[in-house]
Amino acid sequence: MSKTSFSSKIASFFNSGTASGVILLFFVVISMALANSPLSASLEQFLNKEWGWESDTIFLRYSFVTWVNDGLMTIFFLLVGLEIKREMVKGELSSPKKAALPILAAIGGVLFPAGIYAIINHGTETAIGWGIPMATDIAFAIAIVTMLGKKVPLSLKVFLSALAIVDDLMAIIVIAVFYSTQLEFTYLLTAFAIFGLLLLMNKLGVRKLYLYLIPGVLIWYFIHLSGIHATIAGVLIAIAIPIKKNSKGYSPLEGLEHSLALPVGFIIMPIFAFCNTNIHIEAEMIEGLFTPLGFGIVIGLLIGKPIGISLLSYIGVKTGLCSMPDRASWKQVIGVGMLAGIGFTMSIFIAVLSFSGNELLLPEAKLSILIASLLSGILGSILLTTLHKSKMKAV
């Protein structure tokens, strides 16, 4: 094999929709392997080691895992915010007709899993985790649907992408409203004052990215101190960044989104996965899958997601509020709904917020998320592949 051929294949892999999902899975496997090896204590010590700087007035000293979950994941949320804004301004969410189906589907895909979890866990100490099964991992879901290729109509791939983006927006709102600690209004008002300044700059036509990103660091700092989870700062920064192109045809929002796609997909998300899936598996944890916590997560993602997405999509189409994706059947919509049951990144993130510090419940929640996501991906792929084969035979 020539050097050119090899390098082109490597480039093709990293540009494909499957690459980030494959690398994410690789880091999950490595993390779990280390957590169940003699190196587990060293890994735990490294993740909890504090890094940073502090003084009488500024505190920026946190554990490595906190820097990842509160710092690096803010960049992930910034990218999600940029994608949401772009889709709402000129993408699949830019008009009521375009947005109706994925919005309805996402509402169903949030309410049903959260409702199932809440019912199963009602009156227990794990009831706070109701937000865990409501989120779709867009990286894994799109990676699988990309690997399926022509077995899934393009319209359904677009539908799944838009659905996952709306899903993420709802998860962001839930995190901000329900998973925040006691609020410090002085810090919160300071953060929103800076955010207001960025909005004013946007209105006045300021297009230089660094003039938004540098104050954005201050927004992150004050949001972090305010009691709202720091990652919400990423969404606020994204809202403020201009999308309109300048005289040279450059859009600050699209430029930043393009610049962040690879670092987020191939560095930040794998690091997050590595730091948050180091699960030391014990017999009690397997039994935990059949507790209200594990059962609520698995049933919520595996069954609640496809039912909620398919049912509200069906109601929307039958009532004339929206139209069916081109060349797609209802069975294929159910298959895509199953893929949306891959929670992973956002689900683990909400699990960390729900059970942080609980050495029993948090690992059980993470393991339940991994198993539910794996089953959702496998069953959704099998259904969509089977439907494609049946269609080909009929032709």
Side-chain angles (χ1 to χ4, degrees):
M1 184 185 294
S2 67
K3 276 188 177 181
T4 305
S5 174
F6 179 75
S7 60
S8 64
K9 286 189 175 183
I10 292 294
S12 176
F13 170 74
F14 278 97
N15 288 326
S16 70
T18 62
S20 61
V22 170
I23 291 173
L24 205 58
L25 184 59
F26 172 77
F27 274 84
V28 171
V29 172
I30 293 296
S31 180
M32 292 190 70
L34 288 174
N36 292 276
S37 76
L39 296 173
S40 60
S42 299
L43 175 61
E44 197 69 29
Q45 186 178 9
F46 169 75
L47 293 178
N48 290 311
K49 180 178 173 59
E50 291 191 343
W51 304 79
W53 177 78
E54 61 180 303
S55 69
D56 293 337
T57 54
I58 298 174
F59 187 84
L60 283 171
R61 186 174 179 82
Y62 303 102
S63 66
F64 182 80
V65 70
T66 300
W67 276 116
V68 170
N69 291 345
D70 291 14
L72 285 183
M73 285 301 284
T74 301
I75 302 174
F76 166 78
F77 274 74
L78 170 59
L79 179 60
V80 169
L82 295 171
E83 290 173 344
I84 292 170
K85 182 173 179 177
R86 174 175 49 78
E87 290 294 331
M88 292 183 72
V89 172
K90 59 179 185 179
E92 291 302 314
L93 307 174
S94 60
S95 68
K97 190 171 182 179
K98 279 185 175 182
L101 187 62
I103 287 177
L104 274 177
I107 290 171
V110 165
L111 292 181
F112 275 71
I116 288 170
Y117 182 98
I119 291 169
I120 293 173
N121 287 268
H122 179 69
T124 69
E125 64 175 327
T126 54
I128 191 175
W130 60 269
I132 295 172
M134 62 178 276
T136 296
D137 189 296
I138 190 168
F140 269 130
I142 297 302
I144 290 178
V145 86
T146 301
M147 284 190 283
L148 291 172
K150 294 182 180 179
K151 295 172 185 176
V152 182
L154 177 61
S155 61
L156 274 182
K157 294 178 183 178
V158 173
F159 167 68
L160 177 59
S161 300
L163 182 159
I165 287 172
V166 177
D167 194 302
D168 280 348
L169 175 60
M170 293 180 181
I172 289 165
I173 293 169
V174 166
I175 290 168
V177 175
F178 297 101
Y179 289 94
S180 298
T181 56
Q182 186 175 349
L183 297 182
E184 295 287 344
F185 285 100
T186 302
Y187 293 124
L188 189 61
L189 289 173
T190 304
F192 274 94
I194 299 171
F195 173 59
L197 177 63
L198 296 188
L199 291 177
L200 178 61
M201 287 164 52
N202 185 329
K203 192 75 174 175
L204 294 174
V206 177
R207 293 288 179 268
K208 294 192 180 296
L209 264 177
Y210 71 89
L211 294 176
Y212 292 88
L213 297 181
I214 293 174
V217 174
L218 293 177
I219 292 178
W220 175 86
Y221 179 71
F222 289 117
I223 288 284
H224 191 270
L225 295 176
S226 74
I228 293 179
H229 200 272
T231 50
I232 302 302
V235 181
L236 295 178
I237 298 164
I239 292 171
I241 290 175
I243 191 171
K244 289 183 180 179
K245 295 180 178 179
N246 61 18
S247 58
K248 296 180 180 179
Y250 173 77
S251 164
L253 184 143
E254 292 178 0
L256 182 59
E257 183 183 356
H258 179 74
S259 298
L260 290 178
L262 286 178
V264 168
F266 296 105
I267 299 175
I268 291 174
M269 290 179 67
I271 290 175
F272 171 81
F274 180 81
C275 292
N276 289 280
T277 56
N278 56 318
I279 307 166
H280 183 69
I281 299 176
E282 299 175 1
E284 293 83 0
M285 291 177 62
I286 305 299
E287 296 172 6
L289 293 171
F290 303 97
T291 62
L293 171 63
F295 207 56
I297 292 172
V298 173
I299 298 300
L301 286 172
L302 189 60
I303 297 175
K305 271 284 183 184
I307 289 178
I309 288 169
S310 304
L311 182 59
L312 262 71
S313 295
Y314 182 81
I315 292 172
V317 170
K318 291 302 178 182
T319 56
L321 289 174
C322 41
S323 56
M324 189 74 171
D326 293 338
R327 299 171 56 208
S329 67
W330 283 113
K331 289 180 180 179
Q332 286 176 314
V333 171
I334 293 172
V336 167
M338 288 180 175
L339 294 184
I342 303 172
F344 198 72
T345 306
M346 199 71 84
S347 292
I348 290 177
F349 189 79
I350 296 175
V352 170
L353 297 181
S354 301
F355 306 119
S356 180
N358 192 313
E359 295 181 2
L360 176 63
L361 294 180
L362 183 55
E364 285 185 4
K366 289 180 179 179
L367 184 61
S368 300
I369 293 165
L370 289 175
I371 289 175
S373 297
L374 182 63
L375 289 174
S376 295
I378 291 171
L379 294 176
S381 300
I382 291 173
L383 177 57
L384 290 168
T385 301
T386 303
L387 291 172
H388 177 72
K389 286 180 179 177
S390 300
K391 188 177 180 181
M392 289 297 99
K393 285 181 181 178
V395 173

